[in-house]
Amino acid sequence: MIHRLEIGLKKGVRDPRGQRVRDGAGSFLGIGIEEVSTRSVFKIKADIGRAEASKVLSEFIDPVIEEGSLSTLPAEGFDWVVTVGFRPGVTDNVGRSALASVSDVLNRHALEGEAVFTETEYFMKGRLSGDEAREVGTKLIANELIERVSVVPFSEWKRRGPDLDVPEVAEGPPPPVREMDLEVPDAELERISSAGVLSLGLDEMKAIRDHYRTSGKSAARTGRGLAPKPTDVELECIAQTWSEHCKHKIFNAVIDYEDENGKVERIESLFDTYIRRSTKEIGGRKGWLVSVFHDNAGVVRFNDSLNLVYKVETHNSPSALDPYGGAMTGIVGVNRDPFGTGRGAALLINVWGYCLGSPFYKGGLPEGLLHPRRIRDGVHKGVIDGGNQSGIPYGLGWECFDDRFIGKPLVFCGTVGAAPLKINGEPFEKKRAKPGDAIVMVGGRIGKDGIHGATFSSEELRSESPSHAVQIGDPITQKKMTDFLLEARDLGLFTCITDNGAGGLSSSVGEMSRLTGGARIDVGLAPLKYAGLAPWEILLSEAQERMTVGVPPDRIEAFMDLSARRDVESTVIGEFTDSGAFEVLHGGKHVAYLDLEFLHDGLPRMCLKARWNPPSPPDPPGRKGRDLSKALLMLLGRLNICSKEKKSRQYDHEVKGLSAVKPFVGLQCDVPSDAAVFLADYASREGIVLAYGVNPSFSDVDTYRMMASVIDEGIRKVVSVGGDPDRIAGLDNFCWPDPVQSGKTPDGLYKLAQLVRANKALYDFTTAFGVPCISGKDSMKNDSTRGGRKISIPPTVLFSTLGRIEDVSKAVTMDFKKAGDVVYAAGITRDELGGSEYYRMLAEDASRPDAVGSTAPSVDAPSAMKLYAAVHKAIMAGLVRSCHSPAKGGLAAALALAAAGGRLGCEIELDAAPAEGRMETDSILFSESNSRFVLTVAPENAAKFEKTLKGLPIGRLGRVAGARIVIMRGGKRVCEAGVAEAVESFKRTLADV
Amino acid sequence: MNAGRKVKALVMTGFGLNCEAETSHALELAGAEVHRVHLNDLLDGLRSLGEFHLLAFIGGFSFGDHLGAGTVFATRMKHRMKDELDRFIRDGKLIIGLCNGFQTMVKLGLLPGFDGDYFRRSATLAWNDSGVFRDAWVRLVATPGSPCVFTKGIGTIDLPVRHGEGRFMTAGKGVMDRILRENLAALRYADPATGKPTVEFPHNPNGSAAGIAGVCDPTGRIFGMMPHPEAHLFPFNHPQWTRKKIDGSMPGEGEGAAVFRNGVAFARENLL
């Protein structure tokens, strides 16, 4: 029986949900609507009567502002009714909570199969056509990939009765397990891979075929009732394990790299040669690395009682298809990484950052791609909901804009966790399992969501990209699960844990089985959202909110009991073995028997070629005679510099009460901080410092300098707020366009050379700075070929830094504090405008987008380190009132933002800035040279400060004064702006978007 | 006074609530013995409200705020713990609700709690005027003459708000008039320039009438507020602490601590 509850606001009560649609239709789609009024619909499918439904309704309604009906509420004077609900099988989080409430109100347990389905009705008034109403429904409100949209004229809605249709999954028997014939011609092998979204290359398909030729008839297989041919379960599991996403094939490939002089160098694995080697070398010098690269997140020792755990992930492909669900899964998913590291870490801080097309993009969009503004809105909303509901504050957030991200947005989400050094007397970082320990799946149920996520994210976006690859997170189910598991952890009820992310059980159990040398699970035992899943689908499903843990037999009863009392579903699905195989059963019958050695190490190595041809983009025209005051204000308003506060304020940054330097600082809390500072707990004053560097703009010139720059940026921002330069760890997230030379990637040699150069820089500068990478991730196919047009992202690296400050009360912020304070520049300004925001602006003005200059900023690490040590000493000595590190927009933007933050002007003499050679004025103002700071110091401390930085490149630029930013050169005014004007330019661009 | 005995405070957890750590720390700073107990352990009878003197409904997203902030949680309490809760109040004990906790209390009917009826809903916390969640610091001014136990001695206080549904509304003007007349609107959003209650954004982050940020019942022992005193326990939680440090005006403790000290002190004097 289905009962329909419709709830709307009483007359005269504001309807923000409706208002948002009305405003969005006008500003985004150009469709004028007079009024939008919304209602929530709950369709309760349960064995209850009308009186009971009525009782539920009265509890669901907020009597102060709402009214409701068991059929439909009256309505008058509208023109269209647009109804949005979920497609069958899509997680309905609100429906799930509603069902819990139905049980409470009626004092009964929900029966198997009972559910609540939710919908929202939008009543629209205005002179819009049916097509326009549908456009509002599909382009503004809903995503048809996961939602159903119905549009009916109001008159028809009035005439017909209440709609009782619910999106149930048509359940059938599970499809049988298939045997896959790989003894076929090569073309057929390729077809099998492509049609099945296996993303396996021909070499890999052949390696699998060959493996089964030799081992298919082994006694171990036949004895378990398996045929010599691989089953679909086995093939899917291998494909998932071997995916680019999981095996990082390009980073582990053999690469022949030819430099600009034709010299060829063979690189055996970029990862081993540059990243791992760097960390190993630095790790020998630093005593605080605990666990790097092999677990779900990197672990460092923070102090005598705590480890910190940090991971940053990307969730690009799902966010391109369903920005809200994809991004929410990004944040909720990365939370499970520190949670699944070692014995499980508590979650402390989130970070986010997005590379997007301009929200004001006016050009054509290839079929199937969403408008960047829509992607931006959805991505923000997804991470806001996911992060806020997880009870984790964000520390850093950023956005970077370039229209090449229209093909694929980059959605970075990261999580810092904290854990005691020991859990029940054993080191936190050590997972342990013994043969016979139970394998338990904890958390949400399995559906078809997210099947092929791991293989799909290893591909470009095609028109037929599977919508199954999109999951919707439920942060509340996950919060319940993590609360329970932390309780269980501290009671010692499990000894190993990992998350079910990409690849689902196939990946989590497959990985953990290496602890004992084998595992056996029966996927028929796993709880499903609905019947009818094939065994391989259960194994690979990326349904969210699940962890897999190993529980010793003597603790399983206690574990399951606590789980039940915390309303968390846990299921024993198998046990650890030492058989050397990963065995999968379905209903007691074997459906896969995979040799662990072949599964994890049987993947043939890729051999790739790279060739570096240094590009030399011309300088843009139009520098001469430019009004530099105007240029400064324009720069402050550009997308890559302007304020992103409007969206950022919708993210919680205070929960847990540990925040000391917030994402926005200054007198009005409206200018971004260089870095975030948090306490790690309530017991000590030691602080965690988080910063980042990202700058795909420099990649158009040289990825070597891009990489050097983002490493330096991540480090100097930590130093800027008071972090110790000697205690910084890094995380590298590479996002690249496909760098493998092929018919569809004719410039693969160059793109791979860009990747090689970025890695060379990573090694050179992480070792020079002594900043080890503790975790990283690569996403290598960030291209879109929809609508016959290929759009590739510019090579992008996010370098995230995790630092430490001995006492948060010594931190400084970037904003000017007091009139009369002395302003210093530290670090050398060079003529390095290549790829700068200033050059981009000139290039755009001249409609010469490629003319971005050819001298991207370099990094002199040994000099920078001396400066960082001295600045750190000055800050710790309390000599510095504000410190800000110039990045986009150079020295001028840095001064303007520090002034805006303090709502105080300054008088500056540019010739006092340490600079190299004779430079044009615009270059001193806007060059984005690395390793620099703008600092202010109380006049009485100026001498001490100068002494602390003796012998280093610093210059006394002037002082904090008045209400204008006045920059002179040789005594002549060259660039000036009112502080209020600067604030206005900085804040206007995205104020309403 | 019973020297040596400690006020026992209950911090209820589970189902998406998430401010248990800082709220526990706040109550411990104030001298209470804090017990974090999962709602299910109370419902299962493993623990009971009767053990405690002070109950904190903490912040978070109980049940994801689906069906409206605090609604599902309130419905569960009402249908499965009503008698215990009623007894707790009648025993003269204290309840504080913070953000989601305030929303839950209002949706249970605990606030404004006129005439001893603690389960009649006559107010709500509706969506912010802006229609979106907002995290920002606000200045609050305490209402002189309020019976509220928790705001005693407080003049103004700076705290963060972090909510989407914080606009306090009542069922009819009569309820609102009585709340204002009896000084039950214990905390109000104020314009820092004037120190007066305001309805103007951003100082009033949600559009609450009369700038209402926190409400108590007529006894003053039952109190809820949208801002987060538990997120201002350290002086360097304040967004302007680097300026205050230069001016020499940085306090030794975060301003939010006073709210908990008041509650625990009252319990110590009256309930031990």
Side-chain angles (χ1 to χ4, degrees):
Chain A
M1 173 80 199
I2 289 171
H3 298 277
R4 184 182 190 280
L5 277 48
E6 186 175 289
I7 298 176
L9 292 165
K10 284 180 179 170
K11 242 192 158 43
V13 179
R14 275 172 61 114
D15 184 348
R17 185 167 57 176
Q19 233 155 6
R20 250 197 328 268
V21 169
R22 195 199 61 179
D23 296 348
S27 68
F28 179 48
L29 300 173
I31 296 173
I33 312 177
E34 268 174 57
E35 185 193 336
V36 182
S37 171
T38 67
R39 288 174 189 173
S40 302
V41 176
F42 300 86
K43 291 173 176 168
I44 303 174
K45 181 186 167 232
D47 188 19
I48 60 172
R50 198 176 162 82
E52 290 171 304
S54 177
K55 196 171 166 200
V56 170
L57 177 67
S58 69
E59 294 284 350
F60 276 22
I61 293 172
D62 184 329
V64 180
I65 51 174
E66 291 176 337
E67 55 190 0
S69 159
L70 279 184
S71 69
T72 55
L73 288 162
E76 278 314 325
F78 290 97
D79 297 289
W80 295 97
V81 182
V82 176
T83 307
V84 176
F86 288 109
R87 287 188 181 277
V90 176
T91 311
D92 185 340
N93 293 331
V94 179
R96 201 183 293 183
S97 293
L99 185 66
S101 225
V102 170
S103 302
D104 287 338
V105 173
L106 302 178
N107 192 22
R108 68 192 278 280
H109 285 290
L111 306 174
E112 192 66 35
E114 293 189 342
V116 177
F117 301 89
T118 63
E119 287 171 0
T120 307
E121 294 174 315
Y122 299 82
F123 290 75
M124 300 182 185
K125 185 164 151 187
R127 260 182 290 165
L128 68 170
S129 68
D131 285 346
E132 286 173 323
R134 175 159 291 280
E135 201 180 333
V136 174
T138 57
K139 292 213 171 129
L140 185 68
I141 304 171
N143 181 349
E144 290 189 283
L145 206 59
I146 53 163
E147 288 166 317
R148 314 189 293 177
V149 179
S150 104
V151 180
V152 296
F154 183 66
S155 51
E156 190 188 323
W157 179 86
K158 283 204 89 161
R159 204 165 47 241
R160 73 180 193 195
D163 152 47
L164 294 176
D165 188 33
V166 296
E168 282 189 286
V169 177
E171 299 190 357
V177 173
R178 289 173 300 151
E179 287 170 18
M180 307 300 287
D181 187 0
L182 302 185
E183 296 297 341
V184 293
D186 289 357
E188 179 62 12
L189 282 179
E190 286 182 310
R191 196 201 61 79
I192 293 171
S193 170
S194 172
V197 202
L198 300 178
S199 298
L200 291 169
L202 183 59
D203 284 354
E204 292 157 349
M205 289 296 285
K206 282 178 169 170
I208 299 169
R209 181 194 64 196
D210 295 348
H211 174 73
Y212 278 87
R213 272 182 190 165
T214 55
S215 70
K217 290 182 186 135
S218 69
R221 282 181 68 78
T222 51
R224 288 172 169 82
L226 287 162
K229 291 176 196 164
T231 63
D232 56 359
V233 183
E234 291 172 320
L235 194 56
E236 291 280 356
C237 184
I238 295 168
Q240 183 284 129
T241 310
W242 289 7
S243 66
E244 175 60 50
H245 187 92
C246 298
K247 279 285 182 223
H248 315 287
K249 292 186 262 203
I250 294 169
F251 263 81
N252 285 311
V254 176
I255 297 174
D256 285 329
Y257 169 73
E258 184 183 332
D259 70 11
E260 64 269 37
N261 303 315
K263 203 178 121 227
V264 178
E265 173 190 4
R266 171 155 288 197
I267 299 157
E268 303 271 353
S269 166
L270 289 170
F271 179 67
D272 287 343
T273 310
Y274 300 113
I275 304 176
R276 197 201 294 271
R277 182 159 63 102
S278 154
T279 299
K280 209 170 156 218
E281 288 177 15
I282 305 166
R285 288 183 266 145
K286 313 255 172 185
W288 38 267
L289 294 185
V290 175
S291 163
V292 289
F293 298 127
H294 71 272
D295 208 334
N296 289 311
V299 186
V300 295
R301 204 184 65 241
F302 178 68
N303 59 18
D304 293 343
S305 59
L306 282 180
N307 283 321
L308 292 183
V309 186
Y310 195 8
K311 175 65 171 268
V312 176
E313 267 282 9
T314 49
H315 222 229
N316 309 334
S317 298
S319 304
L321 296 175
D322 173 18
Y324 178 77
M328 176 187 270
T329 310
I331 190 80
V332 182
V334 77
N335 283 338
R336 289 194 306 273
D337 280 321
F339 199 82
T341 296
R343 297 289 176 98
L347 308 174
L348 216 53
I349 310 164
N350 281 142
V351 299
W352 50 265
Y354 317 130
C355 293
L356 305 164
S358 163
F360 307 111
Y361 179 74
K362 291 261 176 7
L365 277 176
E367 176 72 29
L369 290 183
L370 299 173
H371 190 277
R373 174 165 164 185
R374 197 157 177 224
I375 291 188
R376 180 172 183 259
D377 287 349
V379 164
H380 273 288
K381 185 100 191 344
V383 179
I384 287 166
D385 286 355
N388 290 357
Q389 294 184 26
S390 300
I392 302 167
Y394 94 98
L396 293 173
W398 54 269
E399 292 178 85
C400 165
F401 295 96
D402 185 308
D403 284 344
R404 286 170 286 178
F405 293 114
I406 282 173
K408 232 190 217 181
L410 305 184
V411 175
F412 298 91
C413 292
T415 310
V416 179
L421 303 186
K422 291 199 165 175
I423 305 276
N424 289 297
E426 296 187 61
F428 156 79
E429 68 275 12
K430 292 268 183 290
K431 297 182 201 286
R432 194 163 51 73
K434 289 196 187 118
D437 286 359
I439 297 173
V440 186
M441 186 184 107
V442 183
R445 296 189 149 213
I446 295 178
K448 294 201 182 198
D449 15 4
I451 285 173
H452 282 151
T455 51
F456 152 72
S457 69
S458 308
E459 287 194 346
E460 62 182 348
L461 274 188
R462 305 181 290 187
S463 314
E464 66 271 29
S465 296
S467 61
H468 279 161
V470 176
Q471 319 91 322
I472 298 207
D474 178 5
I476 296 307
T477 297
Q478 179 152 314
K479 180 81 170 94
K480 279 165 62 182
M481 173 183 74
T482 53
D483 284 355
F484 153 61
L485 284 172
L486 282 180
E487 206 178 337
R489 177 195 78 173
D490 293 340
L491 292 168
L493 298 182
F494 61 84
T495 57
C496 60
I497 181 167
T498 197
D499 85 301
N500 286 284
L505 288 172
S506 158
S507 169
S508 69
V509 180
E511 269 300 314
M512 282 214 298
S513 64
R514 299 168 96 167
L515 290 172
T516 58
R520 183 172 55 240
I521 60 169
D522 190 329
V523 292
L525 300 171
L528 304 181
K529 292 180 182 175
Y530 36 81
L533 269 70
W536 73 265
E537 291 178 312
I538 302 173
L539 190 66
L540 263 71
S541 167
E542 295 182 6
Q544 293 292 295
E545 297 87 40
R546 292 179 298 143
M547 304 295 291
T548 299
V549 299
V551 181
D554 60 337
R555 289 169 236 176
I556 190 71
E557 199 182 319
F559 182 90
M560 297 303 281
D561 174 61
L562 183 62
S563 181
R565 288 196 285 117
R566 295 295 172 255
D567 257 345
V568 175
E569 190 161 14
S570 293
T571 314
V572 177
I573 55 170
E575 62 178 33
F576 287 96
T577 69
D578 52 9
S579 68
F582 177 28
E583 300 172 65
V584 183
L585 296 83
H586 186 250
K589 198 170 163 294
H590 268 85
V591 294
Y593 183 86
L594 289 155
D595 179 57
L596 278 186
E597 204 180 309
F598 176 70
L599 183 63
H600 291 296
D601 305 316
L603 168 70
R605 204 138 169 223
M606 276 175 122
C607 293
L608 302 172
K609 283 196 187 334
R611 190 184 304 133
W612 177 240
N613 278 322
S616 47
D619 287 350
R623 276 178 74 182
K624 278 229 165 64
R626 187 159 279 260
D627 179 338
L628 299 176
S629 298
K630 220 180 259 172
L632 172 60
L633 290 178
M634 297 288 291
L635 277 170
L636 291 175
R638 282 175 65 81
L639 281 174
N640 281 324
I641 298 181
C642 76
S643 168
K644 283 88 182 173
E645 188 187 353
K646 184 183 160 88
K647 295 273 193 208
S648 302
R649 288 260 167 228
Q650 296 175 39
Y651 296 76
D652 193 324
H653 62 258
E654 301 277 356
V655 59
K656 297 186 194 294
L658 297 170
S659 125
V661 174
K662 300 171 200 302
F664 288 88
V665 295
L667 196 60
Q668 305 290 334
C669 306
D670 57 359
V671 176
S673 175
D674 284 38
V677 180
F678 284 88
L679 292 164
D681 59 23
Y682 306 100
S684 89
R685 288 253 184 129
E686 293 156 293
I688 302 167
V689 185
L690 298 175
Y692 72 96
V694 70
N695 204 331
S697 189
F698 295 157
S699 295
D700 290 335
V701 186
D702 183 358
T703 49
Y704 185 88
R705 291 199 168 187
M706 178 277 288
M707 187 80 221
S709 296
V710 300
I711 291 171
D712 183 73
E713 187 182 354
I715 294 169
R716 68 186 192 249
K717 284 172 164 174
V718 168
V719 174
S720 213
V721 296
D724 180 352
D726 201 34
R727 281 292 297 258
I728 302 176
L731 282 77
D732 58 288
N733 282 79
F734 284 78
C735 287
W736 233 251
D738 183 6
V740 178
Q741 181 84 8
S742 71
K744 51 183 192 189
T745 308
D747 52 354
L749 294 179
Y750 175 72
K751 285 171 172 166
L752 190 62
Q754 287 183 302
L755 185 66
V756 170
R757 292 184 62 76
N759 276 278
K760 283 176 178 286
L762 183 141
Y763 174 81
D764 292 350
F765 290 93
T766 51
T767 49
F769 280 116
V771 172
C773 288
I774 56 166
S775 169
K777 197 69 203 268
D778 57 283
S779 164
M780 302 305 293
K781 303 280 165 105
N782 292 291
D783 309 271
S784 158
T785 53
R786 289 171 178 241
R789 182 174 146 204
K790 180 165 180 176
I791 309 176
S792 297
I793 65 155
T796 304
V797 177
L798 169 64
F799 194 79
S800 307
T801 43
L802 171 65
R804 183 172 178 280
I805 181 169
E806 63 184 37
D807 180 344
V808 298
S809 71
K810 293 183 176 176
V812 295
T813 55
M814 54 73 73
D815 45 307
F816 289 159
K817 300 294 186 309
K818 288 256 179 216
D821 285 354
V822 184
V823 182
Y824 288 93
I828 297 169
T829 302
R830 298 184 174 87
D831 191 13
E832 296 174 316
L833 282 167
S836 68
E837 199 59 28
Y838 176 63
Y839 263 15
R840 293 249 171 223
M841 179 170 81
L842 299 190
E844 280 167 29
D845 284 357
S847 299
R848 293 271 311 278
D850 299 331
V852 296
S854 54
T855 314
S858 55
V859 174
D860 174 355
S863 304
M865 279 178 71
K866 281 187 207 133
L867 181 65
Y868 297 169
V871 166
H872 181 62
K873 205 170 149 197
I875 292 176
M876 287 302 105
L879 300 175
V880 177
R881 281 194 167 162
S882 75
C883 182
H884 178 38
S885 175
K888 287 206 174 292
L891 202 53
L895 288 163
L897 289 177
R903 296 295 198 274
L904 284 168
C906 54
E907 290 162 0
I908 300 298
E909 171 52 56
L910 219 44
D911 276 339
E916 197 174 80
R918 233 209 84 71
M919 289 172 65
E920 296 293 333
T921 301
D922 63 348
S923 189
I924 306 182
L925 287 170
F926 303 128
S927 172
E928 295 175 11
S929 291
N930 289 299
S931 319
R932 294 180 299 164
F933 301 98
V934 167
L935 308 104
T936 59
V937 174
E940 64 271 23
N941 284 327
K944 265 194 234 162
F945 174 78
E946 288 175 21
K947 201 174 151 207
T948 309
L949 275 85
K950 201 169 165 110
L952 294 166
I954 62 163
R956 193 168 177 150
L957 293 187
R959 58 191 194 107
V960 177
R964 293 183 70 73
I965 302 148
V966 180
I967 305 177
M968 291 177 284
R969 190 174 190 198
K972 266 176 58 187
R973 292 181 177 226
V974 292
C975 175
E976 66 173 299
V979 172
E981 267 181 297
V983 169
E984 160 72 10
S985 295
F986 176 65
K987 292 177 78 163
R988 189 181 44 220
T989 311
L990 289 171
D992 306 313
V993 180
Chain B
M1 264 241 294
N2 286 289
R5 280 187 66 203
K6 271 192 153 185
V7 171
K8 289 178 82 177
L10 168 62
V11 169
M12 234 187 316
T13 65
F15 298 102
L17 295 170
N18 59 36
C19 296
E20 60 269 19
E22 59 268 44
T23 309
S24 300
H25 183 63
L27 288 162
E28 275 162 10
L29 275 180
E33 175 185 314
V34 181
H35 295 250
R36 292 189 209 179
V37 180
H38 194 282
L39 172 63
N40 280 357
D41 284 352
L42 293 166
L43 295 175
D44 292 346
L46 298 177
R47 302 295 297 268
S48 125
L49 283 188
E51 302 171 43
F52 304 97
H53 306 107
L54 186 154
L55 162 62
F57 281 100
I58 61 172
F61 282 81
S62 55
F63 297 91
D65 280 0
H66 307 141
L67 312 190
T71 304
V72 177
F73 191 28
T75 305
R76 181 156 292 182
M77 295 288 287
K78 179 175 152 189
H79 287 272
R80 296 172 66 180
M81 277 186 70
K82 185 178 173 185
D83 293 345
E84 260 195 276
L85 202 53
D86 203 35
R87 196 174 321 121
F88 188 86
I89 295 169
R90 292 191 198 292
D91 285 347
K93 294 177 173 179
L94 283 81
I95 304 181
I96 184 166
L98 307 165
C99 196
N100 198 252
F102 182 31
Q103 292 162 335
T104 303
M105 288 169 74
V106 165
K107 288 178 182 184
L108 265 165
L110 298 187
L111 293 170
F114 288 156
D115 309 319
D117 184 350
Y118 288 99
F119 296 93
R120 191 182 65 220
R121 288 168 72 169
S122 58
T124 195
L125 289 150
W127 265 98
N128 297 351
D129 262 347
S130 66
V132 292
F133 182 99
R134 181 173 168 83
D135 180 325
W137 281 66
V138 293
R139 167 122 343 141
L140 299 153
V141 57
T143 299
S146 171
C148 184
V149 164
F150 294 88
T151 55
K152 282 272 175 308
I154 292 176
T156 65
I157 178 171
D158 288 356
L159 299 175
V161 288
R162 317 187 305 246
H163 61 252
E165 298 168 58
R167 185 162 49 108
F168 187 78
M169 295 177 74
T170 55
K173 199 168 164 302
V175 177
M176 182 63 85
D177 287 347
R178 186 167 166 195
I179 286 172
L180 293 174
R181 194 172 58 240
E182 297 183 13
N183 297 322
L184 304 183
L187 281 178
R188 305 212 255 163
Y189 301 110
D191 184 336
T194 64
K196 296 267 182 297
T198 181
V199 292
E200 298 298 324
F201 185 86
H203 304 305
N204 177 331
N206 51 41
S208 257
I212 294 177
V215 174
C216 64
D217 79 327
T219 74
R221 292 181 287 106
I222 315 297
F223 173 59
M225 60 192 284
M226 287 312 299
H228 289 271
E230 79 285 9
H232 190 188
L233 301 176
F234 301 103
F236 29 81
N237 289 139
H238 194 285
Q240 300 302 333
W241 73 264
T242 53
R243 287 198 159 64
K244 289 175 184 247
K245 190 176 156 192
I246 291 169
D247 294 341
S249 64
M250 193 153 89
E253 165 174 270
E255 294 172 2
V259 172
F260 301 95
R261 290 197 187 281
N262 278 332
V264 173
F266 182 91
R268 195 182 294 123
E269 280 153 25
N270 296 281
L271 299 172
L272 286 188

